[in-house]
Amino acid sequence: MPVKPTEKIWRNGEFIPWEDATLHVMSHVVNYGSALFEGIRCYAQPKGPAIFRVHEHAQRLLDSAKIYRIEIEYSREELVAAMVELVRLNRICPCYIRPLVLRGYGEVGVNPFKSPTDVYIANYEWGRYLGHGSTEGVDVCISSWNRLAPNTMPTLAKAGANYMNSQLIKMEAITNGYVEGIALDVNGYVSEGSGENLFVVRQGTVYTPPLGNSVLAGITRDSVIKLCHDLGIPLVEQMIPREMLYIADEVFFSGTAAEITAIRSVDKISVNRGLTGPITKSLQHEFFGIVNGTGPDRFNWLTPVPVNQPVGV
Ligand SMILES: Cc1ncc(COP(=O)(O)O)c(C=O)c1O
């Protein structure tokens, strides 16, 4: 479904009409993929809209820009304030917030220093990503495509160009009848899904690949790690061989889009007889309790959006 336009988009410090947020086809980003972005969820809580870990997302955007030598004239807190104000103005909740930094219209050559930098923030209505994922679990495959090799495309930067690799993983998975693909890194160790981090449970311990295995430093990944510590569930960041997925007691994805989604089979080998396992269930229970506002926000993960009128989709 095409994205449903909202009223405003934030561009370089100003709110402009949705239709005016356009680019020239000869912009640097169109030719060379020079964009950095974030994806953030704003939840509809009983007390009103609340944005999940918005400070951490704004920081990751600034970190991505730093890696690519892009100077952003807005501070982390200015970006956060812009997102809060955008959600308030557009009155869409729940929603997905998409900050974007891109190299715009300047010279056409590869040298990015010759093009201006633009910062945009849009928000729009968005539901569940991996379909029926969070309640039933999804069927996934190991992709024939590897994740980005170290020292080629930096995976700690959330860059648009990285998602050319994600698109290959996703298309292959869908073409073969799976919901998602899991990529291995160039050394054959488990890395991540096309747009999610991965966790494996075996004999009561939760495992996830370390940042060195070409993964994005997911904010939801960090939330799962913190929840495991809090719940007293042992968690180890270590390299994971592919076959560990086949003998795992539980496997699940984490991500802004996927939230916490159970995996019920990998390469048609079933995980826990296709049922969501107890550790995944308790992490989902804690996570959804916090984001939906039915449990206390004990980690201070939510930033409320002040609204003086009801927000609707
Ligand atoms: C490649 C990739 N890995 C992991 C994630 C999960 O990161 P986060 O939890 O910050 O959304 C995402 C989604 O942004 C992603 O695109």
Side-chain angles (χ1 to χ4, degrees), residues 37-40 52 57 60 96 147 155 158 162-163 166 192-198 214-222 254-259:
F37 69 100
E38 277 301 318
I40 308 169
F52 185 68
H57 281 283
R60 190 171 64 187
Y96 187 76
R147 206 72 185 119
T155 55
K158 191 168 169 64
N162 292 3
Y163 289 79
S166 293
E192 61 180 352
S194 75
E196 310 84 13
N197 292 111
L198 190 82
S214 299
V215 302
L216 180 72
I219 312 282
T220 322
R221 172 185 185 274
D222 180 69
S254 76
T256 297
E259 299 172 306

PDB file of all heavy atoms in Angstrom, residues 37-40 52 57 60 96 147 155 158 162-163 166 192-198 214-222 254-259, ligand 1:
ATOM      1  N   PHE A  37      19.478   7.225   7.458  1.00  0.00           N
ATOM      2  CA  PHE A  37      18.112   7.386   7.949  1.00  0.00           C
ATOM      3  C   PHE A  37      17.889   6.662   9.260  1.00  0.00           C
ATOM      4  O   PHE A  37      18.761   5.931   9.742  1.00  0.00           O
ATOM      5  CB  PHE A  37      17.095   6.930   6.891  1.00  0.00           C
ATOM      6  CG  PHE A  37      17.072   5.436   6.637  1.00  0.00           C
ATOM      7  CD1 PHE A  37      16.091   4.645   7.224  1.00  0.00           C
ATOM      8  CD2 PHE A  37      17.999   4.822   5.824  1.00  0.00           C
ATOM      9  CE1 PHE A  37      16.038   3.276   6.998  1.00  0.00           C
ATOM     10  CE2 PHE A  37      17.966   3.446   5.596  1.00  0.00           C
ATOM     11  CZ  PHE A  37      16.983   2.676   6.186  1.00  0.00           C
ATOM     12  N   GLU A  38      16.711   6.883   9.804  1.00  0.00           N
ATOM     13  CA  GLU A  38      16.267   6.179  11.008  1.00  0.00           C
ATOM     14  C   GLU A  38      14.831   5.729  10.811  1.00  0.00           C
ATOM     15  O   GLU A  38      14.119   6.262   9.943  1.00  0.00           O
ATOM     16  CB  GLU A  38      16.337   7.098  12.242  1.00  0.00           C
ATOM     17  CG  GLU A  38      17.706   7.170  12.871  1.00  0.00           C
ATOM     18  CD  GLU A  38      18.221   5.812  13.316  1.00  0.00           C
ATOM     19  OE1 GLU A  38      17.456   5.017  13.877  1.00  0.00           O
ATOM     20  OE2 GLU A  38      19.413   5.539  13.097  1.00  0.00           O
ATOM     21  N   GLY A  39      14.426   4.785  11.596  1.00  0.00           N
ATOM     22  CA  GLY A  39      13.032   4.346  11.617  1.00  0.00           C
ATOM     23  C   GLY A  39      12.639   4.232  13.074  1.00  0.00           C
ATOM     24  O   GLY A  39      13.308   3.529  13.843  1.00  0.00           O
ATOM     25  N   ILE A  40      11.589   4.943  13.467  1.00  0.00           N
ATOM     26  CA  ILE A  40      11.231   5.059  14.881  1.00  0.00           C
ATOM     27  C   ILE A  40       9.720   4.869  15.010  1.00  0.00           C
ATOM     28  O   ILE A  40       8.969   5.352  14.172  1.00  0.00           O
ATOM     29  CB  ILE A  40      11.628   6.473  15.402  1.00  0.00           C
ATOM     30  CG1 ILE A  40      13.105   6.763  15.059  1.00  0.00           C
ATOM     31  CG2 ILE A  40      11.361   6.621  16.894  1.00  0.00           C
ATOM     32  CD1 ILE A  40      13.511   8.197  15.272  1.00  0.00           C
ATOM     33  N   PHE A  52       9.288   5.836  20.982  1.00  0.00           N
ATOM     34  CA  PHE A  52      10.157   4.830  21.597  1.00  0.00           C
ATOM     35  C   PHE A  52      11.640   5.150  21.343  1.00  0.00           C
ATOM     36  O   PHE A  52      12.073   5.223  20.197  1.00  0.00           O
ATOM     37  CB  PHE A  52       9.825   3.443  21.030  1.00  0.00           C
ATOM     38  CG  PHE A  52      10.586   2.324  21.691  1.00  0.00           C
ATOM     39  CD1 PHE A  52      10.337   1.976  23.014  1.00  0.00           C
ATOM     40  CD2 PHE A  52      11.551   1.622  20.991  1.00  0.00           C
ATOM     41  CE1 PHE A  52      11.040   0.938  23.630  1.00  0.00           C
ATOM     42  CE2 PHE A  52      12.251   0.579  21.599  1.00  0.00           C
ATOM     43  CZ  PHE A  52      11.992   0.241  22.920  1.00  0.00           C
ATOM     44  N   HIS A  57      17.737   6.890  18.840  1.00  0.00           N
ATOM     45  CA  HIS A  57      17.636   6.916  17.375  1.00  0.00           C
ATOM     46  C   HIS A  57      18.283   8.177  16.806  1.00  0.00           C
ATOM     47  O   HIS A  57      18.994   8.119  15.795  1.00  0.00           O
ATOM     48  CB  HIS A  57      16.166   6.829  16.937  1.00  0.00           C
ATOM     49  CG  HIS A  57      15.608   5.444  16.980  1.00  0.00           C
ATOM     50  ND1 HIS A  57      15.899   4.494  16.018  1.00  0.00           N
ATOM     51  CD2 HIS A  57      14.784   4.834  17.863  1.00  0.00           C
ATOM     52  CE1 HIS A  57      15.264   3.368  16.310  1.00  0.00           C
ATOM     53  NE2 HIS A  57      14.586   3.539  17.424  1.00  0.00           N
ATOM     54  N   ARG A  60      21.943   7.713  16.890  1.00  0.00           N
ATOM     55  CA  ARG A  60      22.453   6.809  15.843  1.00  0.00           C
ATOM     56  C   ARG A  60      22.494   7.518  14.489  1.00  0.00           C
ATOM     57  O   ARG A  60      23.404   7.295  13.690  1.00  0.00           O
ATOM     58  CB  ARG A  60      21.612   5.530  15.779  1.00  0.00           C
ATOM     59  CG  ARG A  60      22.254   4.467  14.894  1.00  0.00           C
ATOM     60  CD  ARG A  60      21.558   3.124  14.979  1.00  0.00           C
ATOM     61  NE  ARG A  60      20.197   3.177  14.492  1.00  0.00           N
ATOM     62  CZ  ARG A  60      19.317   2.176  14.583  1.00  0.00           C
ATOM     63  NH1 ARG A  60      19.672   1.039  15.175  1.00  0.00           N
ATOM     64  NH2 ARG A  60      18.101   2.286  14.105  1.00  0.00           N
ATOM     65  N   TYR A  96       4.995   5.852  12.290  1.00  0.00           N
ATOM     66  CA  TYR A  96       6.401   5.533  12.078  1.00  0.00           C
ATOM     67  C   TYR A  96       7.081   6.859  11.734  1.00  0.00           C
ATOM     68  O   TYR A  96       6.530   7.638  10.946  1.00  0.00           O
ATOM     69  CB  TYR A  96       6.487   4.566  10.897  1.00  0.00           C
ATOM     70  CG  TYR A  96       7.840   3.979  10.625  1.00  0.00           C
ATOM     71  CD1 TYR A  96       8.361   2.966  11.420  1.00  0.00           C
ATOM     72  CD2 TYR A  96       8.603   4.423   9.546  1.00  0.00           C
ATOM     73  CE1 TYR A  96       9.604   2.413  11.147  1.00  0.00           C
ATOM     74  CE2 TYR A  96       9.850   3.867   9.276  1.00  0.00           C
ATOM     75  CZ  TYR A  96      10.335   2.865  10.083  1.00  0.00           C
ATOM     76  OH  TYR A  96      11.559   2.322   9.809  1.00  0.00           O
ATOM     77  N   ARG A 147      25.882 -10.745   4.315  1.00  0.00           N
ATOM     78  CA  ARG A 147      25.800  -9.362   4.777  1.00  0.00           C
ATOM     79  C   ARG A 147      27.080  -8.646   4.341  1.00  0.00           C
ATOM     80  O   ARG A 147      28.067  -9.274   3.941  1.00  0.00           O
ATOM     81  CB  ARG A 147      25.667  -9.373   6.311  1.00  0.00           C
ATOM     82  CG  ARG A 147      24.977  -8.166   6.889  1.00  0.00           C
ATOM     83  CD  ARG A 147      23.503  -8.147   6.608  1.00  0.00           C
ATOM     84  NE  ARG A 147      22.901  -6.911   7.081  1.00  0.00           N
ATOM     85  CZ  ARG A 147      22.279  -6.036   6.296  1.00  0.00           C
ATOM     86  NH1 ARG A 147      22.171  -6.249   5.004  1.00  0.00           N
ATOM     87  NH2 ARG A 147      21.742  -4.959   6.798  1.00  0.00           N
ATOM     88  N   THR A 155      28.431  -1.230   8.599  1.00  0.00           N
ATOM     89  CA  THR A 155      27.061  -1.600   9.011  1.00  0.00           C
ATOM     90  C   THR A 155      26.604  -0.855  10.266  1.00  0.00           C
ATOM     91  O   THR A 155      25.414  -0.882  10.578  1.00  0.00           O
ATOM     92  CB  THR A 155      26.925  -3.119   9.243  1.00  0.00           C
ATOM     93  OG1 THR A 155      27.912  -3.536  10.176  1.00  0.00           O
ATOM     94  CG2 THR A 155      27.065  -3.879   7.957  1.00  0.00           C
ATOM     95  N   LYS A 158      23.501   3.503   9.520  1.00  0.00           N
ATOM     96  CA  LYS A 158      22.236   3.079   8.905  1.00  0.00           C
ATOM     97  C   LYS A 158      22.091   3.897   7.628  1.00  0.00           C
ATOM     98  O   LYS A 158      21.476   4.978   7.617  1.00  0.00           O
ATOM     99  CB  LYS A 158      21.080   3.315   9.887  1.00  0.00           C
ATOM    100  CG  LYS A 158      19.778   2.676   9.450  1.00  0.00           C
ATOM    101  CD  LYS A 158      18.768   2.700  10.592  1.00  0.00           C
ATOM    102  CE  LYS A 158      17.376   2.328  10.140  1.00  0.00           C
ATOM    103  NZ  LYS A 158      17.204   0.970   9.648  1.00  0.00           N
ATOM    104  N   ASN A 162      23.076   0.557   2.218  1.00  0.00           N
ATOM    105  CA  ASN A 162      23.174  -0.785   2.814  1.00  0.00           C
ATOM    106  C   ASN A 162      21.953  -1.629   2.449  1.00  0.00           C
ATOM    107  O   ASN A 162      22.000  -2.859   2.455  1.00  0.00           O
ATOM    108  CB  ASN A 162      23.222  -0.709   4.345  1.00  0.00           C
ATOM    109  CG  ASN A 162      24.494  -0.077   4.864  1.00  0.00           C
ATOM    110  OD1 ASN A 162      25.329   0.360   4.080  1.00  0.00           O
ATOM    111  ND2 ASN A 162      24.640  -0.003   6.163  1.00  0.00           N
ATOM    112  N   TYR A 163      20.868  -0.935   2.171  1.00  0.00           N
ATOM    113  CA  TYR A 163      19.610  -1.635   1.938  1.00  0.00           C
ATOM    114  C   TYR A 163      19.483  -2.179   0.522  1.00  0.00           C
ATOM    115  O   TYR A 163      18.497  -2.841   0.203  1.00  0.00           O
ATOM    116  CB  TYR A 163      18.433  -0.741   2.374  1.00  0.00           C
ATOM    117  CG  TYR A 163      18.432  -0.656   3.892  1.00  0.00           C
ATOM    118  CD1 TYR A 163      19.310   0.201   4.546  1.00  0.00           C
ATOM    119  CD2 TYR A 163      17.656  -1.505   4.649  1.00  0.00           C
ATOM    120  CE1 TYR A 163      19.385   0.229   5.928  1.00  0.00           C
ATOM    121  CE2 TYR A 163      17.718  -1.482   6.032  1.00  0.00           C
ATOM    122  CZ  TYR A 163      18.592  -0.620   6.669  1.00  0.00           C
ATOM    123  OH  TYR A 163      18.672  -0.615   8.039  1.00  0.00           O
ATOM    124  N   SER A 166      20.058  -5.522   1.661  1.00  0.00           N
ATOM    125  CA  SER A 166      18.822  -5.995   2.315  1.00  0.00           C
ATOM    126  C   SER A 166      17.765  -6.370   1.284  1.00  0.00           C
ATOM    127  O   SER A 166      17.017  -7.338   1.465  1.00  0.00           O
ATOM    128  CB  SER A 166      18.248  -4.909   3.228  1.00  0.00           C
ATOM    129  OG  SER A 166      19.101  -4.675   4.314  1.00  0.00           O
ATOM    130  N   GLU A 192      22.331 -11.099  10.514  1.00  0.00           N
ATOM    131  CA  GLU A 192      21.015 -10.534  10.863  1.00  0.00           C
ATOM    132  C   GLU A 192      20.052 -10.706   9.701  1.00  0.00           C
ATOM    133  O   GLU A 192      20.438 -11.142   8.611  1.00  0.00           O
ATOM    134  CB  GLU A 192      21.150  -9.057  11.226  1.00  0.00           C
ATOM    135  CG  GLU A 192      21.699  -8.210  10.089  1.00  0.00           C
ATOM    136  CD  GLU A 192      21.841  -6.724  10.418  1.00  0.00           C
ATOM    137  OE1 GLU A 192      21.385  -6.274  11.468  1.00  0.00           O
ATOM    138  OE2 GLU A 192      22.416  -6.024   9.571  1.00  0.00           O
ATOM    139  N   GLY A 193      18.802 -10.335   9.925  1.00  0.00           N
ATOM    140  CA  GLY A 193      17.807 -10.339   8.861  1.00  0.00           C
ATOM    141  C   GLY A 193      17.974  -9.105   7.986  1.00  0.00           C
ATOM    142  O   GLY A 193      18.819  -8.245   8.263  1.00  0.00           O
ATOM    143  N   SER A 194      17.152  -8.995   6.946  1.00  0.00           N
ATOM    144  CA  SER A 194      17.311  -7.857   6.037  1.00  0.00           C
ATOM    145  C   SER A 194      17.033  -6.533   6.741  1.00  0.00           C
ATOM    146  O   SER A 194      17.548  -5.501   6.345  1.00  0.00           O
ATOM    147  CB  SER A 194      16.396  -8.012   4.817  1.00  0.00           C
ATOM    148  OG  SER A 194      15.058  -7.733   5.162  1.00  0.00           O
ATOM    149  N   GLY A 195      16.243  -6.583   7.817  1.00  0.00           N
ATOM    150  CA  GLY A 195      15.946  -5.356   8.552  1.00  0.00           C
ATOM    151  C   GLY A 195      15.688  -5.627  10.020  1.00  0.00           C
ATOM    152  O   GLY A 195      14.915  -4.923  10.668  1.00  0.00           O
ATOM    153  N   GLU A 196      16.356  -6.660  10.555  1.00  0.00           N
ATOM    154  CA  GLU A 196      16.135  -7.034  11.957  1.00  0.00           C
ATOM    155  C   GLU A 196      17.401  -7.664  12.522  1.00  0.00           C
ATOM    156  O   GLU A 196      18.137  -8.321  11.811  1.00  0.00           O
ATOM    157  CB  GLU A 196      15.023  -8.104  12.108  1.00  0.00           C
ATOM    158  CG  GLU A 196      13.728  -7.839  11.405  1.00  0.00           C
ATOM    159  CD  GLU A 196      13.753  -8.284   9.938  1.00  0.00           C
ATOM    160  OE1 GLU A 196      14.683  -9.010   9.527  1.00  0.00           O
ATOM    161  OE2 GLU A 196      12.850  -7.875   9.195  1.00  0.00           O
ATOM    162  N   ASN A 197      17.598  -7.499  13.823  1.00  0.00           N
ATOM    163  CA  ASN A 197      18.634  -8.275  14.522  1.00  0.00           C
ATOM    164  C   ASN A 197      18.051  -9.623  14.911  1.00  0.00           C
ATOM    165  O   ASN A 197      16.843  -9.822  14.893  1.00  0.00           O
ATOM    166  CB  ASN A 197      19.117  -7.530  15.771  1.00  0.00           C
ATOM    167  CG  ASN A 197      19.886  -6.265  15.412  1.00  0.00           C
ATOM    168  OD1 ASN A 197      19.424  -5.154  15.648  1.00  0.00           O
ATOM    169  ND2 ASN A 197      21.061  -6.436  14.844  1.00  0.00           N
ATOM    170  N   LEU A 198      18.948 -10.550  15.248  1.00  0.00           N
ATOM    171  CA  LEU A 198      18.522 -11.921  15.494  1.00  0.00           C
ATOM    172  C   LEU A 198      18.989 -12.422  16.861  1.00  0.00           C
ATOM    173  O   LEU A 198      20.107 -12.107  17.294  1.00  0.00           O
ATOM    174  CB  LEU A 198      19.123 -12.819  14.404  1.00  0.00           C
ATOM    175  CG  LEU A 198      18.574 -14.231  14.399  1.00  0.00           C
ATOM    176  CD1 LEU A 198      17.243 -14.282  13.671  1.00  0.00           C
ATOM    177  CD2 LEU A 198      19.547 -15.195  13.729  1.00  0.00           C
ATOM    178  N   SER A 214      28.888  -7.771  11.337  1.00  0.00           N
ATOM    179  CA  SER A 214      28.207  -6.989  10.284  1.00  0.00           C
ATOM    180  C   SER A 214      26.734  -6.740  10.574  1.00  0.00           C
ATOM    181  O   SER A 214      25.898  -6.837   9.669  1.00  0.00           O
ATOM    182  CB  SER A 214      28.342  -7.684   8.915  1.00  0.00           C
ATOM    183  OG  SER A 214      29.688  -7.796   8.563  1.00  0.00           O
ATOM    184  N   VAL A 215      26.438  -6.422  11.823  1.00  0.00           N
ATOM    185  CA  VAL A 215      25.039  -6.122  12.144  1.00  0.00           C
ATOM    186  C   VAL A 215      24.873  -4.630  12.392  1.00  0.00           C
ATOM    187  O   VAL A 215      25.827  -3.918  12.691  1.00  0.00           O
ATOM    188  CB  VAL A 215      24.533  -6.895  13.397  1.00  0.00           C
ATOM    189  CG1 VAL A 215      24.674  -8.389  13.195  1.00  0.00           C
ATOM    190  CG2 VAL A 215      25.237  -6.446  14.669  1.00  0.00           C
ATOM    191  N   LEU A 216      23.628  -4.174  12.287  1.00  0.00           N
ATOM    192  CA  LEU A 216      23.300  -2.831  12.753  1.00  0.00           C
ATOM    193  C   LEU A 216      23.161  -2.900  14.272  1.00  0.00           C
ATOM    194  O   LEU A 216      22.650  -3.896  14.793  1.00  0.00           O
ATOM    195  CB  LEU A 216      21.976  -2.361  12.127  1.00  0.00           C
ATOM    196  CG  LEU A 216      21.508  -0.953  12.541  1.00  0.00           C
ATOM    197  CD1 LEU A 216      22.384   0.122  11.888  1.00  0.00           C
ATOM    198  CD2 LEU A 216      20.053  -0.719  12.163  1.00  0.00           C
ATOM    199  N   ALA A 217      23.644  -1.853  14.945  1.00  0.00           N
ATOM    200  CA  ALA A 217      23.491  -1.809  16.414  1.00  0.00           C
ATOM    201  C   ALA A 217      22.048  -1.422  16.719  1.00  0.00           C
ATOM    202  O   ALA A 217      21.730  -0.252  16.973  1.00  0.00           O
ATOM    203  CB  ALA A 217      24.468  -0.800  17.012  1.00  0.00           C
ATOM    204  N   GLY A 218      21.165  -2.382  16.647  1.00  0.00           N
ATOM    205  CA  GLY A 218      19.725  -2.117  16.760  1.00  0.00           C
ATOM    206  C   GLY A 218      19.351  -1.564  18.128  1.00  0.00           C
ATOM    207  O   GLY A 218      19.862  -2.017  19.162  1.00  0.00           O
ATOM    208  N   ILE A 219      18.444  -0.630  18.111  1.00  0.00           N
ATOM    209  CA  ILE A 219      17.965  -0.055  19.376  1.00  0.00           C
ATOM    210  C   ILE A 219      17.052  -1.081  20.067  1.00  0.00           C
ATOM    211  O   ILE A 219      17.063  -1.203  21.288  1.00  0.00           O
ATOM    212  CB  ILE A 219      17.164   1.260  19.111  1.00  0.00           C
ATOM    213  CG1 ILE A 219      17.928   2.204  18.164  1.00  0.00           C
ATOM    214  CG2 ILE A 219      16.743   1.931  20.408  1.00  0.00           C
ATOM    215  CD1 ILE A 219      19.031   3.001  18.705  1.00  0.00           C
ATOM    216  N   THR A 220      16.294  -1.833  19.278  1.00  0.00           N
ATOM    217  CA  THR A 220      15.459  -2.885  19.878  1.00  0.00           C
ATOM    218  C   THR A 220      16.349  -4.011  20.399  1.00  0.00           C
ATOM    219  O   THR A 220      16.069  -4.600  21.450  1.00  0.00           O
ATOM    220  CB  THR A 220      14.438  -3.426  18.856  1.00  0.00           C
ATOM    221  OG1 THR A 220      13.965  -2.344  18.057  1.00  0.00           O
ATOM    222  CG2 THR A 220      13.264  -4.090  19.538  1.00  0.00           C
ATOM    223  N   ARG A 221      17.424  -4.310  19.677  1.00  0.00           N
ATOM    224  CA  ARG A 221      18.416  -5.298  20.141  1.00  0.00           C
ATOM    225  C   ARG A 221      18.910  -4.895  21.529  1.00  0.00           C
ATOM    226  O   ARG A 221      18.960  -5.710  22.457  1.00  0.00           O
ATOM    227  CB  ARG A 221      19.578  -5.349  19.133  1.00  0.00           C
ATOM    228  CG  ARG A 221      20.779  -6.184  19.537  1.00  0.00           C
ATOM    229  CD  ARG A 221      21.873  -6.007  18.476  1.00  0.00           C
ATOM    230  NE  ARG A 221      23.031  -6.852  18.715  1.00  0.00           N
ATOM    231  CZ  ARG A 221      24.046  -6.513  19.517  1.00  0.00           C
ATOM    232  NH1 ARG A 221      24.025  -5.363  20.171  1.00  0.00           N
ATOM    233  NH2 ARG A 221      25.074  -7.339  19.667  1.00  0.00           N
ATOM    234  N   ASP A 222      19.263  -3.627  21.671  1.00  0.00           N
ATOM    235  CA  ASP A 222      19.734  -3.140  22.961  1.00  0.00           C
ATOM    236  C   ASP A 222      18.630  -3.264  24.018  1.00  0.00           C
ATOM    237  O   ASP A 222      18.910  -3.597  25.172  1.00  0.00           O
ATOM    238  CB  ASP A 222      20.163  -1.666  22.809  1.00  0.00           C
ATOM    239  CG  ASP A 222      20.657  -1.092  24.106  1.00  0.00           C
ATOM    240  OD1 ASP A 222      21.737  -1.518  24.563  1.00  0.00           O
ATOM    241  OD2 ASP A 222      19.953  -0.244  24.700  1.00  0.00           O
ATOM    242  N   SER A 254      14.468  -8.969  16.331  1.00  0.00           N
ATOM    243  CA  SER A 254      14.128  -7.707  16.999  1.00  0.00           C
ATOM    244  C   SER A 254      14.354  -6.567  16.023  1.00  0.00           C
ATOM    245  O   SER A 254      15.250  -6.622  15.185  1.00  0.00           O
ATOM    246  CB  SER A 254      14.998  -7.495  18.243  1.00  0.00           C
ATOM    247  OG  SER A 254      16.304  -7.092  17.881  1.00  0.00           O
ATOM    248  N   GLY A 255      13.530  -5.541  16.136  1.00  0.00           N
ATOM    249  CA  GLY A 255      13.698  -4.362  15.282  1.00  0.00           C
ATOM    250  C   GLY A 255      12.546  -3.404  15.493  1.00  0.00           C
ATOM    251  O   GLY A 255      11.492  -3.803  16.008  1.00  0.00           O
ATOM    252  N   THR A 256      12.751  -2.170  15.080  1.00  0.00           N
ATOM    253  CA  THR A 256      11.677  -1.181  15.209  1.00  0.00           C
ATOM    254  C   THR A 256      10.444  -1.667  14.463  1.00  0.00           C
ATOM    255  O   THR A 256       9.327  -1.599  14.968  1.00  0.00           O
ATOM    256  CB  THR A 256      12.150   0.168  14.638  1.00  0.00           C
ATOM    257  OG1 THR A 256      13.241   0.604  15.433  1.00  0.00           O
ATOM    258  CG2 THR A 256      11.046   1.208  14.647  1.00  0.00           C
ATOM    259  N   ALA A 257      10.652  -2.148  13.241  1.00  0.00           N
ATOM    260  CA  ALA A 257       9.527  -2.613  12.441  1.00  0.00           C
ATOM    261  C   ALA A 257       9.004  -3.942  12.981  1.00  0.00           C
ATOM    262  O   ALA A 257       7.812  -4.103  13.232  1.00  0.00           O
ATOM    263  CB  ALA A 257       9.951  -2.747  10.985  1.00  0.00           C
ATOM    264  N   ALA A 258       9.912  -4.898  13.183  1.00  0.00           N
ATOM    265  CA  ALA A 258       9.518  -6.260  13.579  1.00  0.00           C
ATOM    266  C   ALA A 258       9.167  -6.358  15.064  1.00  0.00           C
ATOM    267  O   ALA A 258       8.574  -7.356  15.484  1.00  0.00           O
ATOM    268  CB  ALA A 258      10.642  -7.229  13.259  1.00  0.00           C
ATOM    269  N   GLU A 259       9.553  -5.363  15.856  1.00  0.00           N
ATOM    270  CA  GLU A 259       9.402  -5.377  17.324  1.00  0.00           C
ATOM    271  C   GLU A 259      10.076  -6.651  17.844  1.00  0.00           C
ATOM    272  O   GLU A 259      11.258  -6.850  17.600  1.00  0.00           O
ATOM    273  CB  GLU A 259       7.921  -5.216  17.696  1.00  0.00           C
ATOM    274  CG  GLU A 259       7.397  -3.874  17.181  1.00  0.00           C
ATOM    275  CD  GLU A 259       5.923  -3.657  17.317  1.00  0.00           C
ATOM    276  OE1 GLU A 259       5.145  -4.508  16.851  1.00  0.00           O
ATOM    277  OE2 GLU A 259       5.510  -2.606  17.880  1.00  0.00           O
TER     278      GLU A 259
HETATM  279  C1  LIG B   1      19.614  -4.179   8.872  1.00  0.00           C
HETATM  280  C2  LIG B   1      18.909  -3.904  10.153  1.00  0.00           C
HETATM  281  N1  LIG B   1      19.289  -4.554  11.253  1.00  0.00           N
HETATM  282  C3  LIG B   1      18.673  -4.356  12.432  1.00  0.00           C
HETATM  283  C4  LIG B   1      17.615  -3.473  12.552  1.00  0.00           C
HETATM  284  C5  LIG B   1      16.961  -3.252  13.870  1.00  0.00           C
HETATM  285  O1  LIG B   1      17.341  -2.004  14.400  1.00  0.00           O
HETATM  286  P1  LIG B   1      16.370  -1.185  15.342  1.00  0.00           P
HETATM  287  O2  LIG B   1      16.013  -2.082  16.463  1.00  0.00           O
HETATM  288  O3  LIG B   1      17.173  -0.016  15.791  1.00  0.00           O
HETATM  289  O4  LIG B   1      15.200  -0.805  14.529  1.00  0.00           O
HETATM  290  C6  LIG B   1      17.186  -2.775  11.412  1.00  0.00           C
HETATM  291  C7  LIG B   1      16.076  -1.822  11.485  1.00  0.00           C
HETATM  292  O5  LIG B   1      16.276  -0.649  11.602  1.00  0.00           O
HETATM  293  C8  LIG B   1      17.852  -2.995  10.196  1.00  0.00           C
HETATM  294  O6  LIG B   1      17.458  -2.342   9.087  1.00  0.00           O
END
